[in-house]
Amino acid sequence: MQTPFWKPNIYARHAAHRAARRTIVRTIRRFFERRGFAEVDTPALQISPGLETHLRAFRAEGYLLHTSPEFAMKKLIVAGMPRIFQLAHAYRNEPKSDTHHPEFTMLEWYRAQTDYRAMMRDTIALVRACARACGVAELRHRSRTCDPFRPWRKLTIAQAFRQYAGVDVMRSLPDENNALPDPGPLRAQAEKIGISCADSDTWEDVFFRIMLNKVECHLGDGVPTILYEYPACLGALARRKPGNPRVVERFEAYACGLELCNAFSELTDADEQAARFAHEIAQKKKLYGETYPMDEDFLAALRYGMPPCSGNAVGADRLVMLISGAEKIEDTL
């Protein structure tokens, strides 16, 4: 007979991880409140749950459970709230693994009148504050460690692909702002380094095959790594970089090989955002045979006028894993 989950000996096995979680949640709230942020609480049931191609949502009686509170929080920025944060349950219909749970805790925050460099500073300070509150000198995932108190490494996507894969990803991007990349040149480079590709692979398919097999495994050893300046076709809600419109002001932070966050300088152009959404919807239909509606209220808010701002989404459970040394995400829940 299986031991019930509530038996004391089962719960005690992961008591240290859960104690770290309580400390980290308190620290997160204190961190943002001291910096003048207001905590908000937006609905999980939405008409549009998030439109990125590979995000799969759960359906719930005519609504969809959000994959992130992003759209709702940006509407509050338009409504005049300059600094907001939220610890929200988010839902993604993806297979359970050691580092992903279909229901997880998302920490999101937004700052008006800033760009993604402010998010980099916030992220570094927040991770250090949480580690310090737990009395931890390094982040750990299995046999890998990194020191969040040393200067974080910063690499552009172009630099990371050159260094770890020997691939010139920028050479495969079109000069035209809105043209989709031709997968041929990137596919040829991938095959030279032993990554097999199919003729049907899109540019994005090839990019992520290189990323997962050659690049991501090197990120965040010794010190956390900030990977930034993503190709524009991979920044569904991010602003293009002034002077280099082939990339967007987006970054992800990695520690011990785990992706910890995804941040942008936010796109505020409603027409470009609607065009990007239409592309994502078409790709989802092609790949998964389903679509989600556009959030017309969100597009209306952009047309009304969202101020320049930046935002970040941190997987709070993964942050607890890294600080407490938990091997599986379920140990932290």
Side-chain angles (χ1 to χ4, degrees), residues 42-280:
T42 59
L45 287 175
Q46 296 287 336
I47 297 298
S48 183
L51 294 176
E52 287 92 329
T53 299
H54 300 291
L55 289 183
R56 308 291 301 280
F58 289 101
R59 297 185 181 273
E61 296 296 329
Y63 290 91
L64 292 142
L65 287 166
H66 68 190
T67 57
S68 150
E70 181 171 6
F71 293 169
M73 292 183 75
K74 288 181 182 177
K75 292 172 192 174
L76 294 177
I77 291 288
V78 174
M81 300 185 75
R83 295 185 180 189
I84 56 175
F85 80 100
Q86 179 171 190
L87 281 160
H89 281 241
Y91 307 86
R92 297 187 179 180
N93 193 359
E94 300 166 359
K96 188 186 295 186
S97 71
D98 288 351
T99 58
H100 172 73
H101 195 280
E103 179 180 4
F104 61 98
T105 304
M106 181 82 86
L107 165 65
E108 285 203 25
W109 71 96
Y110 293 86
R111 283 179 175 269
Q113 306 302 333
T114 62
D115 65 14
Y116 71 150
R117 291 171 295 184
M119 288 295 121
M120 291 182 188
R121 293 190 292 270
D122 280 352
T123 304
I124 293 169
L126 175 67
V127 171
R128 288 173 174 172
C130 290
R132 192 177 295 113
C134 293
V136 168
E138 63 183 14
L139 308 180
R140 289 182 291 121
H141 182 58
R142 296 179 177 163
S143 63
R144 303 174 71 169
T145 64
C146 68
D147 183 348
F149 298 101
R150 290 169 54 197
W152 290 30
R153 192 177 186 204
K154 294 180 181 178
L155 282 174
T156 66
I157 284 284
Q159 290 169 336
F161 270 58
R162 277 198 304 271
Q163 178 172 340
Y164 296 121
V167 167
D168 184 352
V169 72
M170 298 303 293
R171 198 175 74 197
S172 70
L173 297 178
D175 292 329
E176 298 88 350
N177 284 358
N178 295 311
L180 293 176
D182 175 3
L186 190 61
R187 187 186 301 140
Q189 292 190 74
E191 289 172 345
K192 283 182 180 178
I193 58 172
I195 294 178
S196 60
C197 302
D199 291 342
S200 59
D201 282 342
T202 65
W203 184 92
E204 188 175 332
D205 292 333
V206 180
F207 175 92
F208 281 112
R209 202 162 289 146
I210 299 170
M211 177 77 172
L212 293 173
N213 286 283
K214 298 291 186 177
V215 178
E216 197 172 66
C217 56
H218 296 285
L219 302 178
D221 278 329
V223 295
T225 299
I226 288 176
L227 195 63
Y228 69 106
E229 289 187 7
Y230 276 69
C233 57
L234 300 179
L237 292 111
R239 183 179 77 186
R240 294 180 190 272
K241 183 178 180 180
N244 187 3
R246 294 193 298 167
V247 300
V248 290
E249 293 184 337
R250 172 189 174 190
F251 77 85
E252 293 182 318
Y254 285 82
C256 305
L258 287 183
E259 177 201 331
L260 185 58
C261 76
N262 185 24
F264 309 138
S265 299
E266 303 296 341
L267 178 63
T268 59
D269 184 310
D271 292 335
E272 182 173 355
Q273 186 65 82
R276 292 194 197 178
F277 280 163
H279 171 71
E280 298 286 343

Side-chain angles (χ1 to χ4, degrees), residues 53-56 59 280-292:
T53 299
H54 300 291
L55 289 183
R56 308 291 301 280
R59 297 185 181 273
E280 298 286 343
I281 288 170
Q283 288 295 104
K284 189 182 295 288
K285 179 70 173 177
K286 179 181 176 182
L287 292 172
Y288 302 112
E290 66 175 347
T291 61
Y292 306 140

